Amino acid sequence: MQGLEIRVRGQVQGVGFRPFVWQLAQAHGVRGMVCNDAHGVLIHATGGDLPAFQAALSDRPPALARVDAVEARPYTFDAAPEGFAIAPSRGQGAETRVTPDAATCPACLAEIRAPGRRQGYAFTNCTHCGPRFTILQRLPYDRGQTTMAPFAMCDACRAEYENPADRRFHAQPIACPACGPRLWLEVDAAEQRGDPIAGAAQVLASGGIVAIKGLGGFHLACDATNEAAVKTLRTRKRRPAKPFALMARADDLPDFCAPTPADLALMRDAAAPIVLVRGTGALPDAVAPGMNRLGVMLPYTPLHHLLLDAVERPLVMTSGNLSGEPQVIGNAEAREKLSAFADAFVMHDRAIARRLDDSVERAEPPMVLRRARGRVPGTLPLPPGFEDAPQIVAYGGQMKAAICLIKNGQALLGHHLGELDEALTWEAFVQADRDYAALFDHRPEIAACDLHPDFRATQHAQTTGLSVARVQHHHAHLAACLGENGWPLDGGPVAGIILDGSGLGPDGTVWGGEVLLGDYRDFTRCASLTPAPLIGGDRAQADPWRNALVRLDAAGLGDAAERLFPDAPLALARQAAAAGLNAPLSSSAGRLFDAVAACLGLCPMGQSFEGEAAMRLEALAEQALGETGYGFAVTQRELDPAPVFRAILADLDDGTAPARIAARFHAGLAQTFADAARKLVERREARAVALSGGCFQNALLLEQVTAALGDIPVLTHRLTPANDGGLALGQALVAAARHIAPPESG
């Protein structure tokens, strides 16, 4: 019997796609079968209205599905099929996409709140929600290949699982209290009797701290309205100022923040990221000291919903880890490492296959700051021209490490790992490299990495035995922005405004405030901030006064430094700078932000976390929008901020409000870099402007640069981080482009 073999490619496993196909077959009178395999979903179909059936496959797929392609060819059946069947999965390997973890759907949420066998059950899920990547051990995505394998389904769950008309048909994590994972509360390593949710809520309400096992690891939680509890958590975790993330029910958000419709839509996305929203000042300042925005997420598992219903107030929900280490994921590990922080533990017995932090995003302008749970392992299509790209692995930089794979026309940018100078983060990086390669059957020809020889990721690339492509840091930022925006391989050069902390330049100096002219293959540095010494090397990032000192001295304002930083060892610092002793020259925009912040008294003697001074400066500037920017001294290739510091000191002497000074700095920096990039477009050397680098996490700066560019096409990051978390994507694209067609300069 003649029919069709239909191949559906994309994010089509673990999302209810096979029952969707079964239902379409019933509606269109089609017979045959559907199954999962290593390439996606395979369908053999005959009879009925085949054209309509085929068209419907990509018309309205399940909510979590992403259909990349529907391909059909003639197929001959050995025997005429009777009805339409859902067949067992076929083969190993990974040519298909894996679905990220998804927040609890409305149907499951209603189920845990209503009488029935899953009322109050913390592991309720269906094909439209629940864990995916955090429980997956191998492909294809079947229960036996996940950490749900030890839990044998009861008869009631089995009946749902095998019923094509049920929303739990082939929902691999399906469970109920009779057969699924179990939740319990521990205090002093002893399991407590009674309802673990009620017990945890009581600890939280009394000001205690609870370690909670979630999808991708443990969180540390406390009552966000209780100032003493928040301060206790800060003291125990030795985290003096870095903002805490919050979790709250949607109905409780107006009590402490002012989300826009776009903020709410992003919070309610299946990925359920932490979203930066404007606070109202109702919560203790200790939640996010000095910040005007809060990082807020809605509950995204049944456990979270049940707990928030019980406490009826927002909770701090921060990563459960020792300082600098990856998030804890195992029960024994949690008892060992978090007992000094937590008064109680909410445990369960479903293993976590891989650790995933919460994603962090902004709705307006759209921006991903940390790509993790809910977004990974989502893929991006390669831009036109990359069809012949080989399989490539890229290892990113030293900070905000993430791995990127290129295969079959897709780029998979992996999850946030952290800073590789931490031993356990390095172990997690090496494990992730093995994990991604095995899970996605990845066999790269090329390993891409940063130019910096001392980066651990660069050294790792050189041990792979693959051909190594070393990519300049800021060229990788540029390429990542181009790739996310689908800029064709032969789309022509763009002007890249790349503003970040630091990256090794090909001239041996430390770059960080650049205007580049380039494409995927090559680039030219057209303008940059006038360099200044980084006194103490890495210490310059930790101590903003060091950056202020060199900028003030360069502006002829050495006396002001004595007045502003009387407790700093200025004489020794100047000696080191003059001798070039551990004081490399740098054009870093990040350090320029630190210098201005220090002049305004924002943590001048030390930052407690990366970016603290710049984040405080942005929050301050937002109080005085509309200011005219300070002017830079602009030459053909340098953008000198010396006049900016002279203007800042004059304004300080005149008693100008710090908020107005911060706003003038932002406006002047934005206009100066926009003007430099605009010239390249006006001379028709560039066709658009791309904005990348960690400084563009600053929404105010991003908006002001975009506005200053006017009607010039502007490319920005939306789905991938502008910071070093997106670096591996750019490295992979540069390596691919050079493999396909090497640059003329070689």
Side-chain angles (χ1 to χ4, degrees):
M1 181 172 240
Q2 296 301 306
L4 291 177
E5 179 176 277
I6 302 173
R7 159 71 58 204
V8 185
R9 302 185 188 275
Q11 185 173 293
V12 290
Q13 293 189 9
V15 294
F17 204 88
R18 288 176 297 170
F20 163 70
V21 174
W22 181 86
Q23 291 166 356
L24 288 180
Q26 311 308 308
H28 294 284
V30 171
R31 291 169 287 153
M33 74 91 201
V34 60
C35 72
N36 284 341
D37 68 4
H39 296 269
V41 167
L42 180 67
I43 304 167
H44 291 160
T46 189
D49 190 347
L50 268 182
F53 170 79
Q54 182 180 341
L57 292 171
S58 57
D59 188 20
R60 291 187 178 179
L64 298 180
R66 301 291 183 272
V67 177
D68 292 339
V70 177
E71 305 159 357
R73 64 180 184 179
Y75 180 78
T76 301
F77 287 83
D78 293 334
E82 297 180 4
F84 194 89
I86 297 180
S89 297
R90 300 180 179 182
Q92 299 292 318
E95 304 300 325
T96 188
R97 285 156 62 179
V98 178
T99 305
D101 297 76
T104 306
C105 71
C108 286
L109 182 56
E111 194 172 7
I112 65 172
R113 289 173 170 164
R117 67 192 189 95
R118 289 193 177 90
Q119 183 177 19
Y121 185 54
F123 304 93
T124 301
N125 66 86
C126 69
T127 55
H128 306 303
C129 67
R132 299 292 192 275
F133 193 46
T134 51
I135 63 171
L136 180 64
Q137 295 173 314
R138 292 171 299 278
L139 286 174
Y141 175 67
D142 286 316
R143 189 182 184 91
Q145 313 265 55
T146 74
T147 60
M148 284 297 296
F151 301 97
M153 280 182 264
C154 66
D155 290 343
C157 285
R158 173 67 64 181
E160 294 170 325
Y161 182 85
E162 294 178 350
N163 179 5
D166 195 285
R167 81 173 196 276
R168 292 195 168 91
F169 178 74
H170 279 248
Q172 305 307 333
I174 187 174
C176 75
C179 65
R182 185 177 70 90
L183 191 74
W184 68 92
L185 182 71
E186 285 185 14
V187 178
D188 296 327
E191 182 175 341
Q192 303 297 294
R193 295 183 178 180
D195 180 358
I197 298 293
Q202 184 176 0
V203 174
L204 292 165
S206 63
I209 296 165
V210 179
I212 302 169
K213 188 176 184 181
L215 286 180
F218 276 79
H219 287 103
L220 291 170
C222 73
D223 178 359
T225 68
N226 185 329
E227 184 174 17
V230 177
K231 288 182 175 180
T232 297
L233 179 54
R234 286 204 175 279
T235 300
R236 291 182 184 178
K237 204 177 179 190
R238 298 179 183 176
R239 183 171 166 173
K242 190 174 183 180
F244 281 140
L246 301 170
M247 181 178 283
R249 300 177 300 182
D251 289 347
D252 295 332
L253 295 177
D255 293 342
F256 64 92
C257 65
T260 66
D263 293 333
L264 289 171
L266 184 55
M267 287 183 188
R268 289 171 173 148
D269 186 270
I274 296 170
V275 179
L276 300 185
V277 300
R278 192 170 293 278
T280 62
L283 294 180
D285 184 62
V287 170
M291 304 298 165
N292 60 356
R293 283 185 171 80
L294 303 171
V296 185
M297 56 184 158
L298 298 179
Y300 57 83
T301 71
L303 168 58
H304 294 141
H305 282 285
L306 294 168
L307 186 59
L308 267 294
D309 285 350
V311 299
E312 297 183 315
R313 68 195 75 181
L315 297 178
V316 165
M317 196 72 75
T318 189
S319 294
N321 62 303
L322 297 177
S323 179
E325 290 190 2
Q327 191 175 18
V328 167
I329 62 173
N331 293 351
E333 182 187 17
R335 295 183 189 103
E336 175 189 353
K337 294 187 175 181
L338 303 183
S339 291
F341 305 149
D343 301 303
F345 292 80
V346 175
M347 299 284 207
H348 62 73
D349 54 358
R350 184 180 68 203
I352 298 172
R354 60 187 52 78
R355 105 182 1 95
L356 284 183
D357 288 300
D358 296 307
S359 291
V360 182
E361 304 183 17
R362 191 193 303 264
E364 297 173 307
M367 184 184 304
V368 171
L369 287 82
R370 184 169 72 195
R371 182 177 165 89
R373 177 197 50 77
R375 299 299 183 196
V376 177
T379 63
L380 298 169
L382 296 183
F386 283 90
E387 291 79 9
D388 296 329
Q391 292 191 30
I392 295 172
V393 60
Y395 291 120
Q398 185 76 357
M399 303 177 71
K400 298 178 177 61
I403 294 169
C404 183
L405 312 182
I406 281 183
K407 180 180 179 181
N408 293 347
Q410 299 283 326
L412 191 161
L413 179 60
H415 60 284
H416 167 85
L417 291 162
E419 323 307 328
L420 295 187
D421 52 0
E422 295 289 342
L424 291 179
T425 305
W426 171 245
E427 290 180 14
F429 175 89
V430 175
Q431 180 182 352
D433 188 26
R434 292 193 300 262
D435 181 35
Y436 276 98
L439 189 58
F440 299 103
D441 193 22
H442 195 244
R443 302 175 186 180
E445 299 177 26
I446 301 169
C449 61
D450 195 87
L451 276 184
H452 202 301
D454 296 333
F455 281 3
R456 299 191 77 169
T458 300
Q459 295 169 350
H460 180 69
Q462 294 168 341
T463 68
T464 61
L466 302 172
S467 173
V468 176
R470 298 179 66 185
V471 182
Q472 199 276 327
H473 193 91
H474 299 90
H475 187 200
H477 275 307
L478 172 63
C481 187
L482 293 179
E484 177 182 332
N485 285 276
W487 191 262
L489 177 59
D490 293 322
V494 302
I497 301 177
I498 315 298
L499 306 179
D500 70 353
S502 65
L504 181 65
D507 60 357
T509 66
V510 180
W511 291 11
E514 323 302 322
V515 178
L516 307 180
L517 177 65
D519 56 16
Y520 295 105
R521 298 185 183 94
D522 210 350
F523 71 95
T524 301
R525 188 191 198 194
C526 296
S528 63
L529 286 173
T530 299
L534 294 175
I535 301 174
D538 290 343
R539 288 299 307 170
Q541 178 176 315
D543 300 334
W545 68 265
R546 297 171 186 263
N547 306 293
L549 172 64
V550 295
R551 290 298 182 184
L552 289 170
D553 282 354
L557 299 167
D559 291 345
E562 305 283 348
R563 184 174 74 253
L564 290 170
F565 316 115
D567 298 326
L570 302 183
L572 287 175
R574 285 172 170 141
Q575 290 174 16
L581 181 64
N582 194 23
L585 288 176
S586 171
S587 59
S588 170
R591 303 293 74 79
L592 182 65
F593 271 90
D594 291 347
V596 174
C599 289
L600 298 184
L602 302 177
C603 47
M605 303 310 293
Q607 303 188 76
S608 67
F609 63 93
E610 182 202 2
E612 179 181 4
M615 291 170 66
R616 287 175 177 258
L617 190 67
E618 178 190 4
L620 194 62
E622 289 186 341
Q623 300 174 21
L625 299 179
E627 294 287 326
T628 300
Y630 295 128
F632 285 61
V634 178
T635 62
Q636 185 174 1
R637 297 183 65 85
E638 283 195 0
L639 313 174
D640 187 356
V644 172
F645 286 88
R646 289 192 281 269
I648 288 173
L649 265 294
D651 278 350
L652 284 174
D653 290 342
D654 289 344
T656 302
R660 297 184 66 189
I661 296 173
R664 290 171 182 178
F665 167 70
H666 276 79
L669 183 71
Q671 190 66 55
T672 299
F673 273 92
D675 288 346
R678 174 184 288 277
K679 291 176 182 177
L680 295 174
V681 177
E682 290 174 344
R683 294 199 299 257
R684 299 189 177 181
E685 297 178 48
R687 299 185 179 182
V689 177
L691 311 181
S692 191
C695 292
F696 281 113
Q697 294 177 119
N698 181 323
L700 177 59
L701 179 67
L702 177 64
E703 291 170 342
Q704 290 182 331
V705 172
T706 302
L709 288 167
D711 58 358
I712 292 175
V714 179
L715 311 178
T716 63
H717 291 270
R718 300 175 308 281
L719 305 176
T720 62
N723 60 40
D724 283 6
L727 206 61
L729 172 63
Q731 293 170 347
L733 290 168
V734 170
R738 289 176 174 172
H739 176 87
I740 295 167
E744 294 180 5
S745 62

